[in-house]
Amino acid sequence: MRNAIVIAALLWIPIAAAAPPDKPHYPATAKHPVSERYGDTSFKDDYQWLEDAADPAVQKWVEEENRLTRSILDVVPGRAAIAARLTKLLMAPRLGYFAVIERGGKLFALKFQPPKEQSMLVVLDSPSDPNSERIVYDPTVADAKGSISIDFYVPSLDGRRVAVSLSRNGSEDGSVHIFDVASAKELGDVIPRVNYPTAGGSVAWNGDGSGF
C-alpha cells in the first residue's frame, strides 16, 4: 500500500478524488467449440475463432473491446498530464548507438535519434571522427509514418556492401535488402522472409562480398 501511495504521489494522481469504477460490461463472446488432437492429447477450444483477424465478427468484437478499454483509460485522473510528460521525455533530443560492427576499416552502427521513431543504419570512416558519419539507410525517410524497422544488418567483410533486414508494422517478418555503402543506394536484390518472430535471422557474406 505504501508503494502505491508513493507512486501515485510521483505521478500526481488524485486518488482520493477518484470515484470507485463501475464494474465493466464486457462484450458478449460467442463460443464456437473446435476439437483438436495432438498425439495422445485431445482438447476443446471455444475461442479459436477469435484467431481469424480477417473475420468481420472478430473485428467487431475487437472494436467493442477497444471501446470498453478507452472508456476506462481515457477518464483516469491525471492521464493527460502523465501522457504529456512521458511524450516529452521520450522525444527529448538524444543520441544512442548500438549493434556496432567493424568491417573493412569502417564502423557501422544502428543510431537512435528522437524524434525519429525508428533507428537508422550509419557508417563512420573513423570512430574518432564523428563528422565522417553517413547515413546508409533511414527507415523514416522511406516511410514517414515509422512503419519500417531494421531487424538486423550484416556488412560484407570488405565493408563495401551491407545486407539489411527490413520489416513493416512491427511484424519482424523481415526481408533482406542489399545496399552499396559508398552511395547508400539499394542494389535491388531482395531475399524475403529471412527473419520471423522469435526465430531471429542472419546472413553470412562470402569472402569477396559477391554473395552470402
Side-chain angles (χ1 to χ4, degrees):
M1 181 64 183
R2 180 181 179 183
N3 290 338
I5 294 174
V6 171
I7 292 172
L10 290 174
L11 297 178
W12 307 294
I13 300 177
I15 293 178
D22 295 329
K23 184 177 180 179
H25 297 286
Y26 292 97
T29 307
K31 292 183 178 182
H32 302 302
V34 174
S35 296
E36 300 281 3
R37 184 177 182 86
Y38 293 94
D40 296 331
T41 303
S42 298
F43 69 93
K44 183 178 69 172
D45 186 350
D46 292 333
Y47 303 107
Q48 192 176 104
W49 67 275
L50 288 170
E51 297 178 6
D52 185 3
D55 185 344
V58 175
Q59 295 174 355
K60 180 181 179 182
W61 182 86
V62 171
E63 290 175 359
E64 292 175 352
E65 287 282 336
N66 287 339
R67 191 177 300 113
L68 171 63
T69 301
R70 294 262 56 93
S71 70
I72 296 172
L73 295 182
D74 289 349
V75 297
V76 171
R79 181 180 183 277
I82 295 171
R85 178 59 175 162
L86 288 175
T87 299
K88 183 177 180 179
L89 291 173
L90 292 173
M91 302 303 287
R94 64 189 187 278
L95 292 178
Y97 293 89
F98 60 101
V100 179
I101 300 176
E102 189 278 331
R103 289 288 187 276
K106 300 179 178 66
L107 199 64
F108 295 82
L110 293 180
K111 179 181 180 180
F112 181 62
Q113 185 176 4
K116 291 180 180 290
E117 293 190 19
Q118 298 292 347
S119 300
M120 51 188 164
L121 175 61
V122 301
V123 61
L124 288 83
D125 295 327
S126 171
S128 60
D129 182 11
N131 292 325
S132 68
E133 179 186 292
R134 294 177 287 108
I135 297 175
V136 178
Y137 181 76
D138 184 349
T140 59
V141 172
D143 185 351
K145 295 181 180 179
S147 66
I148 301 176
S149 60
I150 298 176
D151 306 306
F152 66 85
Y153 75 94
V154 183
S156 59
L157 299 181
D158 58 12
R160 294 176 56 241
R161 294 173 178 171
V162 60
V164 185
S165 176
L166 304 175
S167 59
R168 290 181 176 272
N169 301 317
S171 67
E172 298 180 359
D173 182 6
S175 297
V176 160
H177 299 246
I178 312 302
F179 293 85
D180 176 77
V181 174
S183 64
K185 299 292 185 181
E186 185 171 354
L187 299 180
D189 296 311
V190 178
I191 313 299
R193 298 179 64 85
V194 298
N195 190 80
Y196 205 65
T198 73
S202 66
V203 301
W205 286 89
N206 60 13
D208 62 5
S210 62
F212 52 79

